[in-house]
Amino acid sequence: MTLNPAEFRKAMGCFATGVTIITLDLDGEVHGMTANAFSSVSLDPLLVLVCVDHTTRTHAHMHEKKRFGINVLCEDQRAISEYYARPARTHEHAEAEAGARFDRTAHGTPRLHGALAYLECKLHSAELAGDHTVFIAEVEDVVVSDGDPLLFFRGKYRKVGEEVRK
Ligand SMILES: Cc1cc2nc3c(=O)[nH]c(=O)nc-3n(C[C@H](O)[C@H](O)[C@H](O)COP(=O)(O)O)c2cc1C
């Protein structure tokens, strides 16, 4: 059996995830990228990982800046996910096109308004893995809000359904 990328993607699409926006400060401008290859890694120390394609601009920015935010999207933020999944040269229309507004953390990292959770991340290590890099980061601060997440499953955006009872 020779496995091809389409079959691999189909299988991985069965693994329902949330959706995040990675945010970085670029000399006062907000840079963002949609990412769902995100996971918790360790409790001591507090580590998370995100896998980023080598061809994205975000990949270079993360190596250079070594600090970024992870914003977990709320169910009403689909337009923001779509906006930051486009390889636009600048993100100056983020508010007008997708309703994305930001403030800054004490570290100057952009934090998305209305996100379900925010994690302030400092780069710990970066591991080359095929055409992606696994960025592992120490989480220095979090902000958690009420609400329900935007989900991504089989290539489509979804909402949380009913609780599965015993
Ligand atoms: C739901 C969703 C999840 C995504 N997850 C990732 C991811 O985890 N890693 C990645 O490298 N790209 C991911 N992408 C693709 C990037 O968002 C896309 O390539 C983006 O245009 C890169 O922007 P940049 O070149 O400005 O950094 C995802 C796209 C979507 C729609």
Side-chain angles (χ1 to χ4, degrees):
M1 183 176 101
T2 316
L3 185 60
N4 65 46
E7 288 166 325
F8 173 78
R9 289 180 77 140
K10 197 171 170 189
M12 293 310 296
C14 296
F15 186 61
T17 67
V19 182
T20 76
I21 307 294
I22 304 171
T23 46
L24 300 112
D25 170 71
L26 294 186
D27 302 323
E29 300 291 313
V30 176
H31 180 79
M33 186 192 103
T34 305
N36 68 344
F38 167 68
S39 177
S40 167
V41 172
S42 157
L43 283 175
D44 184 18
L46 298 170
L47 298 174
V48 293
L49 70 77
V50 61
C51 302
V52 179
D53 191 315
H54 292 170
T55 61
T56 64
R57 288 166 312 156
T58 305
H59 187 269
H61 297 327
M62 287 172 79
H63 270 301
E64 187 199 329
K65 294 283 168 184
K66 305 193 186 332
R67 175 172 292 281
F68 54 91
I70 297 281
N71 303 264
V72 179
L73 295 187
C74 234
E75 64 179 15
D76 63 357
Q77 293 181 313
R78 173 182 174 155
I80 297 176
S81 173
E82 290 172 336
Y83 182 88
Y84 285 108
R86 276 185 245 137
R89 195 169 293 160
T90 69
H91 291 310
E92 59 194 341
H93 304 301
E95 182 165 0
E97 284 189 28
R101 293 196 299 126
F102 298 88
D103 54 29
R104 298 290 176 148
T105 68
H107 295 280
T109 317
R111 185 168 75 94
L112 176 68
H113 289 198
L116 204 52
Y118 173 80
L119 296 87
E120 177 78 30
C121 298
K122 194 172 109 185
L123 188 61
H124 169 278
S125 53
E127 181 76 22
L128 275 175
D131 55 10
H132 280 55
T133 293
V134 183
F135 288 97
I136 297 179
E138 192 162 346
V139 179
E140 294 185 329
D141 200 8
V142 299
V143 180
V144 180
S145 304
D146 288 337
D148 286 324
L150 181 66
L151 301 181
F152 199 66
F153 173 62
R154 290 192 162 146
K156 290 194 165 61
Y157 292 98
R158 317 262 181 166
K159 286 183 178 183
V160 165
E162 285 169 29
E163 183 180 348
V164 178
R165 298 190 184 276
K166 278 198 255 183

